Amino acid sequence: MDSNASAVGFEAKGLSIAFGGLKAVQGFGMSLPAGALHGLIGPNGAGKTTIFNLMTGVYSPDKGALTLGDKSLIGLAPHEIARAGVARTFQNIRLSGRLTVLENVMLPMHIRVGYNFLECIGRTERRETWERLAREKAFDLLSLLGLADRAQLHAHSLPYGDQRRLEIARALALEPKVLLLDEPAAGLNSGEKVALMETVTKIRKRFAMGILLIDHDMRLIMGVCERIVVLDHGEVIAEGEPKAIQRDPKVIEAYLGTE
């Protein structure tokens, strides 16, 4: 994977969606430059995962714009957005438990498959070459995430923290320009969270991709993100550097409430 291949920005403007009478997200906007690491935080039910779903084509916004570089992503299906360069993880781990760790990482690579249907049926040289390169890339990602020695284990046999890392490796297998991490620290112990911080920083440095991180662990968010967007009831209430966000009265009220 080319560390310079991700040099495009990701931008949302005025994204809004309502479910029945509930306005889940209203006028959401943010800009994620290439190579930036930003956080998206807010109380439970603020609309954070809904925004990720809008950004990845799971939901279509009622209005607003979403672009990656000069390409609009509005109206594209999830697999088309993934192919364009936006990958994500999920709050609830979605690994293929009966596949091996290696197979889980190779699976999403087929979105950029290097052979046609007829070649899929037969063992052609082109197919053999593509699969060899895919296997090498998968091992490289597993090494980066500290999972290479577990490549042949079934995914469901991994400890929870390793499953979290495997899901990140699988997202990276799409060779994204933008990586959306939805609560990657959920369920991790303190040691695993420290390792996750190191992993996210390592990924950013190696691939120079834009990373947007949702999490409730403020130590993680404040420790790795250079800019933070705060959401409450579907609307952005603050945006800025971590120190400014920590002091913002609107943010304090959203999290702690007032008497």
Side-chain angles (χ1 to χ4, degrees):
M1 296 182 187
D2 186 350
S3 62
N4 296 317
S6 307
V8 294
F10 185 56
E11 188 170 24
K13 290 184 178 179
L15 287 182
S16 300
I17 189 170
F19 301 107
L22 174 64
K23 294 180 179 179
V25 175
Q26 302 178 64
F28 176 81
M30 69 164 292
S31 180
L32 182 68
L37 176 49
H38 291 184
L40 178 62
I41 66 173
N44 287 328
K48 303 181 297 296
T49 296
T50 299
I51 286 171
F52 269 23
N53 287 336
L54 289 169
M55 290 178 166
T56 54
V58 177
Y59 299 149
S60 295
D62 297 330
K63 58 182 179 179
L66 183 67
T67 55
L68 181 61
D70 59 0
K71 181 180 177 64
S72 173
L73 303 181
I74 298 296
L76 298 184
H79 72 277
E80 293 173 318
I81 291 178
R83 188 179 291 119
V86 180
R88 71 173 293 181
T89 63
F90 295 85
Q91 287 183 34
N92 300 315
I93 295 173
R94 299 189 181 186
L95 300 174
S96 299
R98 295 189 178 183
L99 296 181
T100 67
V101 169
L102 180 65
E103 289 167 341
N104 264 276
V105 180
M106 291 181 66
L107 188 63
M109 293 181 184
H110 286 80
I111 201 169
R112 305 185 191 281
V113 69
Y115 48 84
N116 60 36
F117 177 73
L118 292 178
E119 290 173 311
C120 183
I121 298 174
R123 301 296 301 187
T124 66
E125 182 178 350
R126 188 181 179 200
R127 176 183 173 184
E128 295 280 0
T129 299
W130 184 90
E131 290 192 348
R132 175 177 56 78
L133 292 174
R135 186 177 295 270
E136 289 174 359
K137 287 182 179 179
F139 266 112
D140 182 49
L141 290 173
L142 290 175
S143 296
L144 178 68
L145 275 296
L147 296 170
D149 60 338
R150 276 149 277 187
Q152 301 305 328
L153 298 179
H154 285 98
H156 65 71
S157 70
L158 294 180
Y160 187 81
D162 288 349
Q163 290 187 30
R164 282 281 180 198
R165 284 189 288 160
L166 176 56
E167 191 173 43
I168 294 174
R170 194 169 67 165
L172 291 172
L174 289 167
E175 300 187 9
K177 300 175 178 67
V178 175
L179 179 62
L180 309 178
L181 299 175
D182 193 351
E183 298 199 27
L188 302 186
N189 61 39
S190 58
E192 289 170 332
K193 288 178 181 179
V194 171
L196 175 64
M197 290 174 65
E198 295 172 351
T199 297
V200 171
T201 301
K202 190 187 305 182
I203 290 169
R204 179 194 184 192
K205 288 181 178 178
R206 175 162 175 183
F207 299 113
M209 65 178 60
I211 299 176
L212 182 58
L213 172 65
I214 290 176
D215 214 278
H216 288 290
D217 190 297
M218 289 300 102
R219 182 183 177 192
L220 171 65
I221 290 286
M222 298 295 171
V224 300
C225 297
E226 68 226 6
R227 193 167 184 84
I228 299 170
V229 178
V230 187
L231 203 68
D232 189 31
H233 295 96
E235 296 186 74
V236 174
I237 60 170
E239 181 176 0
E241 297 179 354
K243 288 183 179 180
I245 291 300
Q246 287 177 310
R247 299 191 300 263
D248 192 297
K250 291 182 179 179
V251 177
I252 295 170
E253 180 180 344
Y255 273 97
L256 302 179
T258 56
E259 292 186 12

